[in-house]
């Protein structure tokens, strides 16, 4: 979703802003813009364009560049108004006062139409369809020689979500940023500040940063900063060390971030497990659960909420919780949970599952559950993210930054974290030390099992090539392999734009079987488990109608060869952990399909990495 970068310091702002924008490209966007304040002439120069950051860069260069040591830049993912240059940020205040203010914004100003009406009555005229331009005008209207005060006053009138960075031609030594709901991080350098939507645009410059609580504003001057609420009550910002290094967000020898992250999974899962799962003592140590262990172990019900891939991980989590922790467990779209008057009480633990920790619906669902008395937990990747900060306790994934829009290593990290959480609870309820010890041994063996699947990437590519021109696919699985089927279908549609549906294998007979005709690819997750025979029966149903079967099967299963056009073999593990291995060939299938179809794997159309609006 929209990416924000802003700079104030002693260096030229433009190259720093462009480098930051490129680091944020992965978030997803459709247009971009930059504004630099030239302190000598007291003017803000703005350049905007539709399309890639590269296009904007060429445009700025053709116009002779932008000079100044303070600036703001933005990648926009359209919400209010179409994808046009006029709607791209930065937005400015009324031209009649000479465009003093320029602003970039991520979020949604919900009451923008009433504010717009009020401003129009005062003589303002607007050049875009955006809510952000209204905010720019409002700040301009309230500006009386102090930018920080004008921003505070404007935000007191606003309902909605925002992360903003504002500059003013009359104050060349001030950058004002503010936040409510949308992500914003302030990097603290030596005589400079770099503000961004996430740390990937900051780590090249500094590893010291602070986040702003909701409803607060930071005034950044080159050597100093001041933080206060929108009512001007001073607050103290806590500067902390950023968790990851620049090398982690570099592509290295890989062609795409998605491929890099698929191949990182053995290592990232070792990080998830490190120091937490000890097979010798049969113990799970989760420091992030702290004093809530007893409440969690006594919970009557667990509800896991998330969106997209995180929801699929939550679905696997349901099986793990019921199997290992023996607690009634559910999963739900965070977006549905928050609006359906859910039954939540003191015996309920709600787990928000999220890679970014910023998904607006997941955050709102968590807040709703907290308000109703639930224990609020998080299974989150990004340290210090909003969801992580809002929870009572949680488990970080520790899989490192995920840049590819199609989530891969976060999915396996989420399942592993939920498995640890289930064992942690189960051990306090019913599970013996011996059981937990042997389960942990198997968990620790998962990274090597995944490596074995990754070694087959080339043959998966060869098989995928045969079906890559088919526009409709089905993915079928039973039990915990049903969410794997959903995830396989999601990966394929996200990056190759092939229509794919995932469903429980038994459900196929209740309608979708009508779709199957000659040559339609149907992917079965058919590893040997308690429901294996049933899956074979479903495979026969597909074959007898001319469908082409691609099976994910257990190494050594020769029987399945005669029933499938293609077989992707995976090593066997215990049934509860098998989704961690089974999803790997499906990630590779989606990746190869997208590359073979010539699609931009890391920047799929219309998608955002982190969805910070409802
Ligand atoms: C977006 C991303 C998905 C992701 C989902 C939830 O739709 O494109 O890959 O699964 O948001 O994101 P989260 O950061 O909460 O896991």
């Amino acid at each position: 979703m929209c990416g924000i970068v802003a700079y104030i310091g002693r260096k030229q702002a433009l190259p720093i802003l462009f480098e930051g924008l490129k680091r944020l490209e992965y978030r997803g966007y459709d247009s971009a813009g930059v504004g630099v304040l030239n302190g000598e002439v007291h003017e803000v120069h703005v350049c905007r364009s539709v399309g890639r950051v590269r296009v904007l860069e060429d445009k700025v260069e053709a116009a002779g560049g932008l000079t100044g040591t303070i600036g703001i830049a933005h990648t926009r993912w359209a919400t209010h108004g179409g994808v046009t240059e006029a709607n791209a940020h930065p937005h400015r205040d009324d031209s009649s006062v000479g465009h003093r203010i320029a602003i970039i914004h991520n979020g949604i100003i919900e009451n923008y139409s009433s504010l717009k009406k009020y401003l129009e009555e005062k003589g303002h005229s607007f050049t875009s369809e955006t809510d952000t331009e209204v905010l720019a005008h409002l700040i301009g209207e309230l500006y009386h020689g102090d930018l920080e005060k004008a921003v505070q006053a404007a935000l007191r009138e606003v309902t909605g979500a925002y992360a903003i960075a504002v500059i003013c031609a009359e104050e060349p030594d001030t950058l004002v940023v503010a936040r409510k709901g949308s992500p914003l991080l302030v990097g603290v350098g030596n005589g400079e500040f770099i503000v961004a939507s996430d740390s990937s645009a900051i780590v090249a410059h500094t590893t010291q940063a602070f986040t702003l609580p909701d409803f607060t504003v930071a005034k950044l001057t080159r050597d100093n900063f001041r933080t206060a609420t929108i009512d001007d009550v001073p607050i103290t910002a806590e500067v902390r060390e950023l968790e990851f290094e620049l090398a982690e967000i570099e592509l290295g020898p890989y062609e795409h971030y998605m491929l890099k992250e698929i191949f990182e999974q053995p290592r990232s899962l070792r990080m998830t497990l490190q120091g937490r799962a000890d097979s010798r003592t049969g113990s799970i140590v989760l420091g992030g659960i702290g004093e809530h262990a007893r409440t969690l172990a006594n919970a009557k019900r667990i509800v896991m909420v998330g969106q997209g891939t995180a929801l699929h991980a939550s679905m696997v989590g349901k099986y793990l919780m019921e199997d290992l922790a023996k607690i009634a467990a559910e999963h739900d779209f965070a977006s549905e949970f928050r609006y359906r008057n859910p039954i939540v009480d003191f015996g309920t633990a709600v787990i928000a599952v999220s890679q970014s920790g910023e998904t607006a619906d997941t955050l709102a669902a968590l807040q709703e559950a907290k308000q109703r008395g639930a224990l609020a937990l998080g299974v989150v990747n990004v340290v210090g993210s909003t969801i992580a900060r809002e929870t009572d306790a949680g488990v970080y994934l520790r899989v490192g930054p995920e840049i590819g829009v199609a989530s891969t290593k976060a999915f396996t990290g989420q399942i592993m974290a939920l498995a640890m959480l289930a064992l942690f609870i189960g051990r306090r309820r019913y599970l013996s030390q011996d059981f937990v010890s042997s389960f942990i041994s198997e968990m620790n063996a998962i990274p090597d099992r995944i490596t074995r699947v990754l070694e087959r990437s080339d043959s998966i590519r060869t098989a995928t090539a045969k079906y890559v021109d088919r526009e409709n696919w089905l993915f079928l699985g039973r039990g915990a392999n049903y969410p794997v089927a959903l995830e396989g279908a999601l990966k394929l549609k996200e990056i190759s734009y092939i229509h794919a549906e995932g469903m429980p294998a038994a459900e196929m007979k209740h309608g979708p079987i009508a779709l199957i005709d000659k040559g339609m690819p149907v992917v079965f997750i058919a590893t040997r488990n308690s429901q294996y025979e049933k899956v074979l029966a479903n495979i026969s149903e597909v074959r007898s109608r001319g469908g082409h079967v691609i099976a994910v099967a257990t190494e050594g299963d020769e029987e399945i060869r005669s029933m499938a056009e293609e077989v992707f073999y995976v090593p066997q593990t215990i049934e509860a952990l098998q989704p961690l291995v089974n999803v790997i060939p499906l990630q590779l299938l989606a990746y190869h399909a997208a590359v073979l179809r010539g699609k931009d794997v890391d920047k799929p159309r219309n998608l955002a990495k982190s969805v910070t609006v409802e």
Side-chain angles (χ1 to χ4, degrees), residues 16 47 96 118 144 148 161 182 200 213 226 243 262 324 326 347 372 442 453 487 504 542 545 555 561 582 588:
I16 295 169
C47 187
S96 61
Y118 159 79
H144 305 294
E148 185 193 19
S182 303
S200 58
R226 172 184 189 267
E243 290 275 317
I262 291 172
L324 301 170
K326 308 267 182 278
R372 291 175 184 234
E442 206 42 49
V453 185
E487 180 60 9
V542 167
R545 285 159 183 87
E555 285 174 354
R561 272 196 194 282
N582 291 356
L588 288 167

Side-chain angles (χ1 to χ4, degrees), residues 136-353:
H137 282 236
L138 184 62
I139 295 170
E141 177 68 27
L142 299 169
Y143 182 74
H144 305 294
D146 186 332
L147 183 62
E148 185 193 19
K149 287 210 160 29
V151 170
Q152 286 171 326
L155 294 179
R156 287 198 292 269
E157 303 303 322
V158 154
T159 52
Y162 51 81
I164 55 169
V166 195
I167 51 178
C168 173
E170 289 172 19
E171 297 185 39
D173 300 314
T174 306
L175 170 65
V176 174
V177 300
R179 157 174 202 273
K180 196 254 146 176
S182 303
L184 190 85
L185 198 60
V186 182
V188 183
N190 191 6
E192 61 182 9
F193 294 95
I194 302 103
V195 180
S197 303
D198 67 55
S199 49
S200 58
I202 294 177
V203 283
H205 305 281
T206 175
T207 56
Q208 301 293 306
F210 66 86
T211 45
L212 285 173
D214 278 349
F215 301 108
T216 53
V217 175
K219 175 182 179 173
L220 312 170
T221 48
R222 285 177 179 76
D223 294 305
N224 244 315
F225 69 92
R226 172 184 189 267
T227 45
T229 67
I230 56 173
D231 295 313
D232 206 32
V233 178
I235 56 149
T236 312
E238 204 183 306
V239 179
R240 64 180 169 89
E241 182 80 18
L242 292 175
E243 290 275 317
F244 66 88
E245 311 250 316
L246 191 57
E248 287 187 72
I249 51 169
E250 303 275 308
L251 203 46
Y254 293 95
E255 216 178 312
H256 298 100
Y257 281 106
M258 182 182 179
L259 189 64
K260 177 185 181 223
E261 287 156 10
I262 291 172
F263 274 79
E264 262 173 16
Q265 288 176 106
R267 187 166 65 89
S268 63
L269 287 174
R270 281 192 192 100
M271 293 308 293
T272 308
L273 289 164
Q274 201 175 56
R276 290 165 158 176
D278 187 341
S279 62
R280 282 169 305 128
T281 58
S283 59
I284 296 283
V285 180
L286 297 174
I289 298 300
E291 77 267 25
H292 298 283
R294 185 187 289 249
T295 321
L296 184 56
N298 290 329
K300 300 269 175 297
R301 187 166 147 254
I302 289 188
V303 182
M304 285 156 282
V305 291
Q307 298 289 142
T309 290
L311 179 76
H312 299 155
S314 306
M315 293 171 83
V316 177
K318 172 187 157 70
Y319 292 90
L320 291 163
M321 291 296 168
E322 288 180 349
D323 251 25
L324 301 170
K326 308 267 182 278
I327 295 186
E330 297 161 37
H331 58 82
D332 205 347
F333 290 100
S335 56
E336 295 299 315
F337 175 85
R338 60 180 291 203
Y339 286 120
R340 71 172 162 75
N341 200 11
I343 295 168
V344 170
D345 53 27
F346 288 99
T348 308
V350 171
I351 308 178
V353 181

Side-chain angles (χ1 to χ4, degrees), residues 307-310 353-357 359 362 405 407 414 494 608-609 611:
Q307 298 289 142
T309 290
V353 181
S354 174
Q355 187 286 126
S356 63
T359 301
T362 310
V405 170
S407 184
Q414 284 157 351
E494 276 181 314
K609 177 70 184 158
V611 178

Side-chain angles (χ1 to χ4, degrees), residues 355-613:
Q355 187 286 126
S356 63
E358 303 291 352
T359 301
D361 281 316
T362 310
L363 173 63
L366 183 82
Q367 288 165 335
E368 179 66 30
K370 252 173 100 172
Q371 218 166 47
R372 291 175 184 234
L375 175 66
L377 302 179
V379 166
V380 170
N381 192 34
V382 178
V383 176
S385 55
T386 310
I387 293 176
R389 282 184 284 123
E390 288 265 335
T391 50
D392 297 315
V395 183
Y396 277 122
L397 305 185
R398 297 197 199 140
V399 299
E402 189 180 69
I403 307 285
V405 170
S407 184
T408 52
K409 63 176 179 174
F411 178 69
T412 47
Q414 284 157 351
I415 294 176
M416 194 61 102
L418 288 168
M420 286 192 296
L421 206 47
L423 272 191
F424 180 86
I425 302 168
R427 179 74 185 103
R428 281 163 179 74
R429 289 160 68 100
Y430 309 101
L431 301 179
S432 70
Q433 188 180 357
D434 276 0
F435 178 92
V436 175
S437 283
S438 58
F439 200 96
I440 292 175
S441 300
E442 206 42 49
M443 276 172 146
N444 286 328
I446 294 289
D448 289 339
R449 304 209 192 292
I450 290 180
T451 303
R452 286 232 295 272
V453 185
L454 294 173
E455 284 162 2
R456 295 170 191 150
S457 176
D458 286 346
S459 61
I460 292 174
R461 184 180 200 275
T462 309
T464 305
K466 297 183 207 165
Y467 306 93
V468 82
D469 57 340
R470 314 288 161 83
E471 295 300 333
N472 290 297
W473 293 50
L474 275 184
F475 286 71
L476 303 173
R478 286 171 174 257
N481 283 322
Y482 155 47
V484 175
L486 290 175
E487 180 60 9
L490 177 65
K491 288 292 86 96
L492 191 64
K493 66 185 131 186
E494 276 181 314
I495 53 168
S496 67
Y497 319 143
I498 291 171
H499 175 239
E501 294 301 330
M503 64 193 67
E507 182 64 15
M508 176 190 64
K509 286 200 284 291
H510 300 282
I513 198 164
L515 294 171
I516 295 170
D517 57 6
K518 207 164 173 309
M520 177 176 183
V522 182
V523 179
F524 276 94
I525 297 101
T527 41
R528 284 205 187 262
N529 61 20
S530 49
Q531 302 196 51
Y532 176 70
E533 300 296 336
K534 309 256 180 243
V535 174
L536 291 191
N538 297 135
I539 291 181
S540 301
E541 289 156 7
V542 167
R543 284 179 68 82
S544 58
R545 285 159 183 87
H548 279 179
V549 171
I550 299 169
V552 174
T554 309
E555 285 174 354
D557 181 353
E558 290 305 320
E559 187 184 351
I560 206 152
R561 272 196 194 282
S562 60
M563 302 189 68
E565 271 68 26
E566 313 294 335
V567 181
F568 299 157
Y569 281 115
V570 295
Q572 186 153 28
T573 176
I574 42 184
E575 195 166 335
L577 296 174
Q578 195 70 50
L580 287 165
V581 184
N582 291 356
V583 75
I584 308 297
L586 305 187
Q587 294 172 343
L588 288 167
L589 180 148
Y591 172 78
H592 291 308
V595 173
L596 288 161
R597 285 167 74 105
K599 305 298 178 210
D600 190 345
V601 174
D602 287 331
K603 298 187 199 81
R605 72 179 177 208
N606 303 341
L607 292 186
K609 177 70 184 158
S610 158
V611 178
T612 51
V613 294

